Amino acid sequence: MTALDITSEDATLETAPTRYIEGRGIRFAYRRLGPSTGTPLVLLQHFSGNIDAWDPAVVNVLAADRPVIAFDNAGVGRSTGQTPDNVAAMARDAVAFINALGISEVDLLGFSLGGCVAQQIAAEHGRLVRKLILVGTSPKGGEEHLLAVLQEAFSQTDAPDPRLPLFFTTSSASRSSGLAFLKRTQVRKDDRDTDNGSAVTDPQAKALITWCATPDPEHAMLRAIRQPTLVVSGSHDTMLPANNAYAMFKELSNAQLVLYPDSGHGALFQHHEIFVSHVRTFLHA
Amino acid sequence: MTALDITSEDATLETAPTRYIEGRGIRFAYRRLGPSTGTPLVLLQHFSGNIDAWDPAVVNVLAADRPVIAFDNAGVGRSTGQTPDNVAAMARDAVAFINALGISEVDLLGFSLGGCVAQQIAAEHGRLVRKLILVGTSPKGGEEHLLAVLQEAFSQTDAPDPRLPLFFTTSSASRSSGLAFLKRTQVRKDDRDTDNGSAVTDPQAKALITWCATPDPEHAMLRAIRQPTLVVSGSHDTMLPANNAYAMFKELSNAQLVLYPDSGHGALFQHHEIFVSHVRTFLHA
């Protein structure tokens, strides 16, 4: 429990030092916020994202009453190792990270590709995972439009950041909350995480596309998940549509579904206040 | 504002006096809880239900920080008048009741048939309704299995109350929360509301079945609703399935969807703590 003994109650995502820990031969970069006791909430990041791609408005508020851990999985950001091209290996690496921290039980919040990894971990490690939060993600064999949407987003050369068209809708409300989100992610200046190149995004894209292209007609993966699960999506997620969330809700044995209006893949950042309230209610219940 | 001047902050659904007010020639029975200021939340009851069919665990907690008004619509319980056989007339009567109270803006929580009435009011009275909560209900032209499910429920002669099979699933967790719900509704002994007979349930059944049998392929009713809306359903609602809720979410311009696990038509009573938290977050946002 060495790592958890470091109290970091006053730290925020913007101010917490980046720490490092070794597991399975990988040196994992991570930040830890919130109290030193309680079930830690481990965040599993989206395609191409690093630690600084999380929204402080979500992470800091969740850390007000529980430990929250953001990390770079193998090969991502400032973690060493190779980024695997499949979800199962990403889950194996994430578990190695959690084991290295000496934590015996976690809650998981997986966003997008991170949600696939979270499903895999929850299905395989029933005792390690207490509760599961799946945001903007897909079941195995689900619907994805990753490449088409990425291509469209990167063709918008006037966008200040590809996440604006990727994560938010074209409504002025969604766009303006998108700009506010981007601003929040840029507050930290020192000790920022490293941006990811194609050595990360190529295998990650392959992992996500393969996950969705692998049929699971009997929903074996979802049915292996016994943990209470909160499934969240935006109404107009163009990459991994809300239909995925509804389908997961129907097949999971103990799931709550929350869908937000006028929102895309980044619904959790757009509706951060309501999202945090829903997560706290779910984790507390 | 006479009626609202009566402060009833300490009253609960079980202890509040039943009051009466006249509008459109109908003498409406109602109870009013919570503070004397704030936008009142008006409750629209399900098929066959009276004021005492609401769950004190929902109503009393919601009334902790807002006025909450439960009432019998025309012909129901101890209200005078005829129960209409169509949703539009029920909406007209409910608006007459709200007008009689001198209230210019309300939030509406409509459950089941009450959710149909709430949709009609919100669509027709854009200024009267601030926010809308639709629970276990159907859009116009939606899916209902009222008669089949009622027949099945009333054939279970060993059930202590038809609401047990109608509102809860067959799981032991759902059944036991159903028994707890029934117990909560039976705490009030004096000044209880009158049970409804076929003069109420026959026209109400016709209204609900007609509402669902009336196609609205362009979703004109839902598209006329501009208020922020929270749509809620149980995962295994046998009467008005969760598909209705998902369909409403997709067509409404500004809706949030929340679906609960292992729950039937009475999901709001089974998951009352989480439901109240979701309602408060929604009304507060």
Side-chain angles (χ1 to χ4, degrees):
Chain A
M1 298 288 290
T2 338
L4 282 181
D5 290 344
I6 303 160
T7 300
S8 49
E9 300 217 14
D10 297 330
T12 64
L13 189 65
E14 303 95 308
T15 61
T18 307
R19 304 178 191 282
Y20 297 89
I21 196 162
E22 193 154 323
R24 265 196 91 258
I26 298 153
R27 188 169 174 260
F28 290 99
Y30 72 102
R31 287 186 213 143
R32 192 183 170 287
L33 313 173
S36 53
T37 58
T39 305
L41 177 66
V42 174
L43 311 180
L44 295 158
Q45 187 58 294
H46 65 80
F47 167 79
S48 87
N50 61 23
I51 293 175
D52 285 312
W54 288 110
D55 187 346
V58 168
V59 175
N60 295 342
V61 183
L62 286 175
D65 50 10
R66 72 195 66 249
V68 176
I69 298 169
F71 79 109
D72 286 324
N73 211 341
V76 176
R78 286 185 284 181
S79 288
T80 63
Q82 290 275 325
T83 301
D85 66 359
N86 64 88
V87 168
M90 291 173 178
R92 175 204 62 200
D93 293 340
V95 169
F97 166 69
I98 294 167
N99 287 341
L101 288 175
I103 302 170
S104 57
E105 191 182 55
V106 294
D107 296 328
L108 292 179
L109 188 167
F111 173 32
S112 191
L113 173 61
C116 310
V117 178
Q119 289 171 66
Q120 182 94 36
I121 298 173
E124 288 182 352
H125 300 271
R127 287 190 186 171
L128 181 63
V129 183
R130 188 185 73 110
K131 293 191 176 186
L132 187 62
I133 303 163
L134 302 175
V135 186
T137 191
S138 168
K140 218 167 182 174
E143 185 181 347
E144 61 84 10
H145 305 280
L146 182 68
L147 294 184
V149 173
L150 282 176
Q151 194 167 30
E152 164 69 16
F154 282 95
S155 73
Q156 295 186 32
T157 45
D158 58 334
D161 188 302
R163 286 175 292 176
L164 202 58
L166 284 174
F167 283 8
F168 299 88
T169 76
T170 53
S171 80
S172 62
S174 185
R175 247 190 97 81
S176 101
S177 69
L179 290 169
F181 157 72
L182 291 174
K183 215 167 165 180
R184 292 194 295 272
T185 65
Q186 288 149 5
V187 167
R188 187 181 183 112
K189 299 294 174 205
D190 299 328
D191 180 33
R192 275 189 74 85
D193 207 354
T194 311
D195 286 340
N196 295 305
S198 60
V200 171
T201 56
D202 284 356
Q204 282 189 335
K206 187 177 170 195
L208 182 54
I209 291 166
T210 305
W211 172 268
C212 291
T214 307
D216 186 10
E218 303 295 323
H219 306 288
M221 179 64 72
L222 294 173
R223 299 211 170 150
I225 296 172
R226 311 303 301 174
Q227 293 90 344
T229 304
L230 174 64
V231 182
V232 176
S233 175
S235 58
H236 295 82
D237 188 323
T238 50
M239 242 176 313
L240 298 167
N243 282 344
N244 282 328
Y246 188 50
M248 285 190 286
F249 166 78
K250 288 199 280 191
E251 299 304 334
L252 286 162
S253 62
N254 184 2
Q256 218 181 90
L257 176 69
V258 176
L259 303 182
Y260 297 118
D262 179 30
S263 49
H265 199 54
L268 74 171
F269 307 141
Q270 177 173 340
H271 295 284
H272 58 90
E273 287 182 348
I274 298 178
F275 173 70
V276 166
S277 166
H278 288 157
V279 168
R280 292 171 83 160
T281 299
F282 168 72
L283 291 179
H284 182 74
Chain B
M1 297 291 288
T2 338
L4 282 182
D5 289 344
I6 302 161
T7 300
S8 49
E9 300 219 13
D10 297 330
T12 64
L13 188 65
E14 303 96 309
T15 60
T18 307
R19 304 177 193 282
Y20 297 89
I21 196 161
E22 193 155 323
R24 266 197 89 259
I26 298 153
R27 188 170 175 258
F28 291 98
Y30 72 102
R31 287 186 213 143
R32 192 184 170 285
L33 313 173
S36 52
T37 57
T39 305
L41 177 65
V42 175
L43 311 179
L44 296 158
Q45 186 57 295
H46 65 80
F47 167 79
S48 87
N50 61 22
I51 294 175
D52 285 312
W54 288 111
D55 187 349
V58 168
V59 175
N60 295 341
V61 183
L62 286 175
D65 51 9
R66 71 194 68 250
V68 176
I69 297 169
F71 79 110
D72 286 324
N73 211 343
V76 176
R78 286 184 285 181
S79 289
T80 63
Q82 290 275 326
T83 301
D85 67 359
N86 65 89
V87 168
M90 291 173 180
R92 175 204 63 201
D93 294 339
V95 169
F97 165 69
I98 294 166
N99 288 340
L101 288 175
I103 303 169
S104 56
E105 191 181 56
V106 294
D107 295 329
L108 292 179
L109 188 167
F111 173 33
S112 191
L113 174 60
C116 309
V117 178
Q119 289 170 67
Q120 182 94 37
I121 298 173
E124 287 181 354
H125 301 272
R127 287 189 185 173
L128 180 63
V129 183
R130 189 184 72 110
K131 294 191 177 186
L132 187 62
I133 303 164
L134 302 175
V135 186
T137 191
S138 168
K140 219 168 182 173
E143 185 181 346
E144 61 85 10
H145 306 280
L146 182 68
L147 294 184
V149 172
L150 282 175
Q151 194 167 29
E152 164 70 15
F154 282 97
S155 74
Q156 295 186 31
T157 46
D158 57 335
D161 187 302
R163 287 175 292 176
L164 203 57
L166 284 173
F167 284 7
F168 299 88
T169 75
T170 53
S171 80
S172 62
S174 186
R175 246 190 98 81
S176 100
S177 69
L179 290 169
F181 157 71
L182 291 174
K183 214 167 166 180
R184 291 194 295 272
T185 65
Q186 288 149 4
V187 167
R188 187 181 181 112
K189 299 294 174 204
D190 298 329
D191 180 31
R192 275 189 75 84
D193 206 354
T194 311
D195 285 341
N196 295 304
S198 60
V200 171
T201 56
D202 284 356
Q204 282 188 336
K206 187 177 170 196
L208 182 54
I209 292 165
T210 306
W211 173 269
C212 291
T214 307
D216 186 9
E218 302 295 322
H219 307 288
M221 178 66 70
L222 294 173
R223 298 207 171 153
I225 296 172
R226 311 304 301 174
Q227 293 90 344
T229 303
L230 173 65
V231 182
V232 176
S233 175
S235 57
H236 294 81
D237 189 324
T238 49
M239 243 177 311
L240 298 167
N243 282 344
N244 282 327
Y246 188 50
M248 286 190 284
F249 166 77
K250 287 198 279 190
E251 299 304 333
L252 285 162
S253 62
N254 184 2
Q256 218 182 90
L257 177 68
V258 176
L259 303 182
Y260 296 118
D262 179 30
S263 49
H265 199 53
L268 75 172
F269 306 141
Q270 177 174 342
H271 294 284
H272 57 91
E273 287 182 349
I274 298 178
F275 173 71
V276 166
S277 166
H278 288 157
V279 168
R280 293 172 84 160
T281 299
F282 169 71
L283 292 178
H284 182 74

